[in-house]
Amino acid sequence: MALCLQDKVVLITGASSGIGKACAKTFAALGAKLILTARRLDRLTALAEELSAAHGVAVLPMALDVQDKDAVANAINSLAPEWAEIDVLINNAGLALDTTKLHEGNIDNWDTMLNTNVHGLLYMSRAVLPGMVARNRGHVINVGSVAGHDTYPNGNVYCATKHAVSALSKAMRLDLFDKAVRVSEVAPGAVHTEFSEVRWQDKARADAYYEGFEPLMAEDVADAIAYCATRPAHVDVSELVLFPTAQTSCHYLAKHT
Ligand code: NDP
Ligand code: 8X3
């Protein structure tokens, strides 16, 4: 029987856009209490108001840069009692910056990707997991990527960060093997979000990337994440990879012009 998420506390990182925002909508519709985090508080506040009005759920918007380890620890440690027992952590915040050959890469961009996609996920997990372990229940869902299972030209550091997400998901499952805490990695292919606009800082280039095929939508990925979260407690979806039907791998995307 599917697990009921009514009144469960679900924390989503990167909830101001794309997959994280779609997760907020999906989990609100399932009756969960939501802690929504990202850097852009104005977006989170507007989303929180919308979801509370639509679904009657409690929503806590919180400005948080996952790269800041002290801010992450403080945010989790200072949660009010009604929010402190996090049932589901969705480590979704992440980004790619540029696509360039490694030997021509921008080192500041590398730092931002590593600090966000890898360190950010670690800081959040380190802050939230002890409570889950103490309660012997909980679920960490890490948003990886097909770029964490393969590499593509000029994707070097982004691919490395997502390989790290995949490795850390496996490592968490091993370290939690004797606890009733589940760990899932959800790894999508091309999803139409603000991801490519952030990557290239060029809206026209980003729009062109999504033309000529039907990409995944953020809601498709949120649906996969909700699938993981709603399996019965004895079922742990360890890895879920989803592609647009037009995409077979990082290297094969069928575009019709
Ligand atoms: P978006 O750009 O639409 O959303 C990214 C989210 O991450 C935003 O909410 C942003 O919020 C947040 N974020 C970025 N940096 C930080 C930070 N330092 N601290 C806190 N939050 C941060 O992209 P997607 O929704 O597509 O991306 C979500 C995840 O999905 C990422 O991990 C990405 O790697 C992964 N992914 C995306 C795919 C795609 O094709 N789109 C495919 C596979 C995986 P804010 O700027 O307000 O802080
Ligand atoms: C995002 C998908 O193929 O642009 O993780 O790396 S891809």
Side-chain angles (χ1 to χ4, degrees):
M1 202 171 77
L3 201 66
C4 177
L5 291 176
Q6 187 73 40
D7 296 326
K8 298 285 184 203
V9 178
V10 177
L11 189 156
I12 304 168
T13 68
S16 61
S17 174
I19 294 166
K21 182 176 180 180
C23 284
K25 292 183 177 180
T26 299
F27 281 82
L30 292 169
K33 291 168 64 176
L34 299 175
I35 305 174
L36 304 182
T37 74
R39 292 165 302 178
R40 288 170 290 181
L41 185 60
D42 54 337
R43 286 189 178 206
L44 296 179
T45 305
L47 181 60
E49 283 167 10
E50 177 193 325
L51 296 180
S52 301
H55 302 288
V57 292
V59 186
L60 178 63
M62 186 187 283
L64 186 61
D65 184 337
V66 295
Q67 299 173 94
D68 183 338
K69 62 170 175 288
D70 293 332
V72 169
N74 289 338
I76 301 305
N77 294 336
S78 59
L79 285 169
E82 65 270 28
W83 292 103
E85 297 197 356
I86 295 166
D87 295 290
V88 182
L89 166 63
I90 303 176
N91 276 319
N92 163 74
L95 79 175
L97 292 171
D98 217 339
T99 35
T100 46
K101 292 184 185 298
L102 189 108
H103 57 273
E104 295 167 350
N106 177 309
I107 292 175
D108 290 338
N109 285 345
W110 296 356
D111 289 345
T112 304
M113 287 187 276
L114 288 159
N115 290 340
T116 308
N117 303 359
V118 184
H119 286 111
L121 179 144
L122 283 169
Y123 300 152
M124 288 302 304
S125 305
R126 182 64 182 86
V128 172
L129 270 171
M132 290 184 174
V133 168
R135 293 185 290 279
N136 199 31
R137 66 182 160 82
H139 195 167
V140 178
I141 303 178
N142 294 324
V143 178
S145 168
V146 296
H149 299 252
D150 199 356
T151 49
Y152 51 86
N154 303 320
N156 41 69
V157 176
Y158 177 70
C159 294
T161 67
K162 290 299 180 179
H163 276 70
V165 172
S166 183
L168 289 169
S169 303
K170 292 185 180 83
M172 285 182 198
R173 294 193 77 239
L174 288 170
D175 291 346
L176 294 162
F177 87 98
D178 57 350
K179 299 284 180 285
V181 177
R182 303 187 289 178
V183 181
S184 304
E185 179 200 351
V186 173
V191 193
H192 195 167
T193 63
E194 294 174 20
F195 178 85
S196 294
E197 214 179 312
V198 170
R199 176 174 228 170
W200 294 315
Q201 296 295 305
D202 179 342
K203 180 143 174 35
R205 184 176 176 186
D207 289 347
Y209 174 72
Y210 297 112
E211 277 166 16
F213 76 109
E214 191 172 346
L216 295 171
M217 300 308 289
E219 292 71 20
D220 299 319
V221 185
D223 187 43
I225 291 171
Y227 173 81
C228 297
T230 53
R231 289 317 83 211
H234 69 286
V235 178
D236 188 352
V237 180
S238 63
E239 198 174 286
L240 199 161
V241 181
L242 65 159
F243 281 103
T245 303
Q247 186 182 24
T248 307
S249 75
C250 289
H251 304 276
Y252 290 97
L253 181 58
K255 284 206 178 195
H256 39 81
T257 46

